[in-house]
Amino acid sequence: MSSGPDVNMAARDEAPDLAPPASPMAMPEQVVERPRRAAAGNGLFSFLPIAMKRLAN
Amino acid sequence: MVQFRRFVSFLFAFTFAAIAARLAADVFLSDGFDPLDVVRVLLLAATSAWIAWGASLALQGVLAPMPVAKPAATAPAPLEADRIGVLVPVYNEDPVHVLSRVHAMAWSLHAEGEGTRFEFVVLSDTRDEAIAAEERRWMQQLRRDGPPAMNFFYRRREKNTGKKAGNVAEFLRASGGRYEFLVILDADSLMDGATLVEMARRMEADPRLGLLQTLPKIIHARSWFGRAIQFSASFYSPFFARGLALLQGRTGPFWGHNAIVRTRAFAESCGLPVLSGKPPFGGHILSHDYVEAAMLARNGWTVRVDPDLEGSFEEGPDNVIDFAKRDRRWCQGNLQHARLIGAPGLGPWSRFVFVQGIMAYAASPLWLVFLVASLLAPVVAPEPNYFPVPRMPAIFPTPETAQAVALLVGIFGLLIGPKLIIASHAAWTGTARSFGGPFAVMRSTLAEILWSSVLAPVTLMFQSRSVAQVLLGRDGGWPATNRDAGEIGMREAWAASWWIVLTGLVMLAASSVLETGLLFWFLPVAMPMVCAPAIIAWSSSRASGVSAARKGLFLTEAERAVPRVVLACEASRIRWQGGGMSAPSGGTIADQPASARNAVA
């Protein structure tokens, strides 16, 4: 099953007796990515100046 | 034990990769060193490790006496859950086909005496107004035809945000509190009532079990291509799945459908965010199922696949083009997981599952680059030095043919060996009987090996193109899978694969011009590419499927002894299609097989 590309649709009327009964529950959005670091402190390159300093000392 | 099995599998893969790299180095460096040889050795090592990993899963599955996840409670006690929802997400599918499956499942549950505990909810994302009207019409018919006191609901979304995952999440937020468990299906899913009840029973037996996945078998294949996949899914897949089950521990897979989830666990763990940036790597998470399994495990829930659960079915693509279209979507979804490998809190195995998913598609372009590098190797090879030691007799480079053959045998052994072992195992243990007997199984296995070898270069090209498109930032979207597609004609096949033909011709020409010895090695790869349109067209035809069936090839258990729920589904569909809205004669599922047989006949 796929659900196709996102398309805006007008509200649909359904026969009310077909609709599932409401019984809300929370479904909080999860974190799946590590927060991005600031551009200056990014990954390997942020390590480079520290390593250079150590080598210099 | 799980850790030990994982260690053995990794060791097997890395050992084989190391041996392959050593042999390859001997062969490729026999004419002197050049940088392309290093590339080729590394590519061969990576792809060999991947093949060996797959083979280790199958071998573990064969060697395992029983599935690792034994149900804690097998006694047929009544279920305790008040309500279990069965979700059927649909998107522009034929309502009669979808709802006839629901009808059959409902009666099958009714026959199990647990019908009133289960409620079916059709979650429509259909964009086509005419199909949506038909869905509502046939839902009313389903309510009339379904078992008494059983609930059938239908809701259609205004916007199909987040596609299937968004569809299910929106339902959960609105109505999920009503259900202890939710069975998540696909539009083409069909499950036996006894299986649905057993799944709920296993969920009740283990309060930490968040998701239980079944291994769906493919049914209703009509073409040669479809029947070959159907046979593979029925015959080989249980062994691969059993091998996977032995390695999964508490971090099993979710394949998006034919699975049951604990509603609370799913709701608290699986709220998917929208990834920053644009598709293909940003936006909604496409292959949401892998991510949901990882997130459940991250929250301490067990995710498990139980390959011993029978009575779980789906349909598959009947031709190469539909298969490639589906593969294009899965490829994009799996490559998108590259952004999630470092997700906070995930277990190492969950991260590795993402890597596996990526590798499933990355392996094809790696092979292709290897082939191209091998083609170019003679061009960049250094001039042979026959006198490495001055004033000494000439030394001629040795072709290292023995190593080349050993390498080839090793790789092909890992590719086809597990299939032959599974076939032998089935013949030895007697399970081959349900597939037509040992002789039929061996013939089908050999035919499948031959067929998959012919098809491999074609799928390699389609997958390589998919990976390239994703890496170039092209969003493939999610076109609906045309599971009822007809045959593919030569014109359509040519339009879809002319570039593969061209690639094959270039390969043949280059290999014969650059070094005559290469032509022999490239023929098995290039010839299927040159014949791609004919292969695609022929293998999609009904005639090819009928021919295979008449020869007794690719027989499956579900064909030889058609499950009652499958017969009931066919009977419902034929009756609805033929008889319009007329109410059925009634009765229970016990009456259905006979009526199905009559209807089908």
Side-chain angles (χ1 to χ4, degrees):
Chain A
M1 212 288 303
S2 64
S3 289
D6 288 351
V7 180
N8 287 323
M9 300 289 291
R12 309 287 169 213
D13 288 327
E14 284 148 24
D17 62 327
L18 280 176
S23 182
M25 72 187 304
M27 191 173 187
E29 197 171 273
Q30 302 294 308
V31 176
V32 296
E33 288 183 286
R34 290 199 183 278
R36 289 192 169 187
R37 296 191 189 97
N42 202 355
L44 191 64
F45 294 106
S46 65
F47 179 72
L48 204 61
I50 302 166
M52 296 288 274
K53 273 183 189 173
R54 288 203 173 162
L55 282 172
N57 293 333
Chain B
M1 194 60 184
V2 170
Q3 299 291 345
F4 177 72
R5 287 182 189 279
R6 288 177 185 174
F7 173 74
V8 169
S9 290
F10 279 118
L11 189 68
F12 181 73
F14 283 116
T15 305
F16 186 82
I19 294 170
R22 176 60 208 268
L23 288 171
D26 286 347
V27 175
F28 299 154
L29 298 173
S30 63
D31 58 352
F33 175 86
D34 69 78
L36 213 50
D37 289 337
V38 179
V39 174
R40 285 201 292 166
V41 169
L42 290 176
L43 287 171
L44 200 73
T47 45
S48 300
W50 174 242
I51 293 172
W53 175 257
S56 79
L57 289 185
L59 292 176
Q60 298 220 35
V62 170
L63 295 172
M66 286 294 287
V68 70
K70 289 289 291 174
T74 51
L79 293 174
E80 291 173 8
D82 286 335
R83 281 198 201 93
I84 299 164
V86 184
L87 306 185
V88 187
V90 295
Y91 172 76
N92 287 348
E93 278 91 1
D94 182 334
V96 173
H97 282 241
V98 175
L99 298 182
S100 59
R101 292 183 195 108
V102 173
H103 182 256
M105 287 187 274
W107 277 106
S108 183
L109 278 166
H110 180 76
E112 292 296 315
E114 297 283 2
T116 52
R117 260 182 240 278
F118 287 80
E119 294 182 347
F120 284 87
V121 189
V122 176
L123 302 174
S124 175
D125 262 354
T126 292
R127 304 292 94 189
D128 186 298
E129 290 301 323
I131 296 176
E134 285 293 293
E135 284 172 357
R136 284 191 287 273
R137 175 170 165 251
W138 285 105
M139 275 302 297
Q140 299 287 8
Q141 179 70 15
L142 175 65
R143 282 191 157 186
R144 284 193 289 274
D145 283 3
M150 198 162 186
N151 284 328
F152 299 93
F153 299 117
Y154 172 89
R155 83 102 172 81
R156 183 171 173 228
R157 289 203 294 173
E158 274 183 41
K159 293 172 66 181
N160 62 342
T161 309
K163 289 123 190 170
K164 180 181 174 182
N167 194 0
V168 171
E170 198 172 311
F171 169 78
L172 234 77
R173 290 188 174 111
S175 305
R178 186 174 165 83
Y179 304 101
E180 189 159 345
F181 305 124
L182 288 171
V183 177
I184 300 178
L185 301 180
D186 248 2
D188 64 352
S189 296
L190 180 64
M191 296 193 74
D192 192 77
T195 308
L196 290 166
V197 172
E198 177 61 20
M199 288 163 76
R201 200 168 274 142
R202 293 186 187 189
M203 293 297 284
E204 287 181 346
D206 182 353
R208 293 308 300 168
L209 186 55
L211 186 149
L212 179 61
Q213 173 72 59
T214 64
L215 179 65
K217 306 270 174 69
I218 295 177
I219 52 172
H220 291 151
R222 289 159 294 192
S223 65
W224 174 280
F225 176 84
R227 288 184 60 81
I229 290 188
Q230 181 174 270
F231 174 74
S232 298
S234 292
F235 190 60
Y236 308 136
S237 292
F239 290 94
F240 282 91
R242 193 179 295 178
L244 184 66
L246 289 166
L247 298 180
Q248 69 191 2
R250 296 169 59 86
T251 322
F254 178 32
W255 297 321
H257 55 92
N258 293 41
I260 188 168
V261 299
R262 193 175 301 276
T263 313
R264 183 169 63 85
F266 198 79
E268 75 179 30
S269 310
C270 299
L272 293 177
V274 179
L275 300 180
S276 58
K278 290 180 180 173
F281 286 99
H284 291 285
I285 294 173
L286 298 184
S287 292
H288 54 89
D289 39 13
Y290 280 31
V291 183
E292 286 157 349
M295 286 154 75
L296 278 166
R298 180 172 70 173
N299 276 1
W301 296 101
T302 301
V303 179
R304 207 171 77 193
V305 57
D306 282 3
D308 65 311
L309 282 168
E310 296 287 339
S312 175
F313 308 99
E314 63 172 335
E315 294 184 14
D318 244 353
N319 61 67
V320 178
I321 293 175
D322 275 350
F323 182 85
K325 279 183 190 170
R326 188 183 73 173
D327 230 26
R328 172 66 178 83
R329 299 197 309 270
W330 288 359
C331 172
Q332 184 168 331
N334 284 16
L335 294 190
Q336 192 187 35
H337 292 162
R339 286 187 61 178
L340 309 178
I341 291 173
L346 292 187
W349 185 256
S350 295
R351 298 184 203 279
F352 178 66
V353 167
F354 288 149
V355 174
Q356 276 190 97
I358 293 167
M359 202 50 201
Y361 291 96
S364 283
L366 290 181
W367 275 116
L368 188 61
V369 174
F370 171 77
L371 290 173
V372 173
S374 299
L375 209 54
L376 296 175
V379 181
V380 298
E383 285 295 315
N385 179 8
Y386 300 118
F387 302 98
V389 184
R391 292 183 295 279
M392 293 297 284
I395 298 174
F396 295 97
T398 51
E400 307 290 0
T401 310
Q403 282 91 332
V405 171
L407 187 61
L408 207 63
V409 168
I411 290 173
F412 273 92
L414 283 185
L415 283 171
I416 67 174
K419 293 178 179 179
L420 291 174
I421 290 171
I422 289 169
S424 307
H425 178 270
W428 180 259
T429 57
T431 52
R433 272 196 296 276
S434 46
F435 290 86
F439 184 63
V441 157
M442 206 47 89
R443 281 178 65 226
S444 295
T445 303
L446 292 174
E448 196 280 332
I449 288 171
L450 197 65
W451 166 242
S452 54
S453 305
V454 169
L455 195 62
V458 179
T459 50
L460 178 141
M461 292 302 291
F462 277 121
Q463 288 190 339
S464 299
R465 185 177 69 170
S466 295
V467 171
Q469 285 174 338
V470 174
L471 293 180
L472 290 171
R474 286 180 58 185
D475 179 18
W478 289 78
T481 302
N482 189 2
R483 290 177 176 117
D484 297 319
E487 302 177 9
I488 304 289
M490 271 301 280
R491 190 187 292 265
E492 193 181 347
W494 170 257
S497 64
W498 62 267
W499 57 279
I500 299 178
V501 175
L502 197 63
T503 311
L505 289 173
V506 169
M507 266 187 188
L508 283 178
S511 59
S512 56
V513 169
L514 295 173
E515 193 173 307
T516 41
L518 272 181
L519 182 64
F520 171 76
W521 293 96
F522 270 85
L523 270 178
V525 179
M527 280 312 290
M529 288 186 186
V530 173
C531 301
I535 290 170
I536 292 170
W538 172 78
S539 65
S540 75
S541 68
R542 299 280 170 87
S544 66
V546 170
S547 163
R550 282 194 183 141
K551 291 185 176 80
L553 289 176
F554 308 137
L555 291 174
T556 63
E557 286 171 299
E559 277 183 326
R560 287 176 48 79
V562 184
R564 300 174 80 185
V565 73
V566 176
L567 285 169
C569 168
E570 286 167 3
S572 304
R573 181 172 54 79
I574 290 167
R575 190 171 58 238
W576 282 2
Q577 283 176 328
M581 302 289 280
S582 64
S585 56
T588 67
I589 192 73
D591 303 324
Q592 299 274 9
S595 59
R597 282 193 195 95
N598 294 336
V600 173

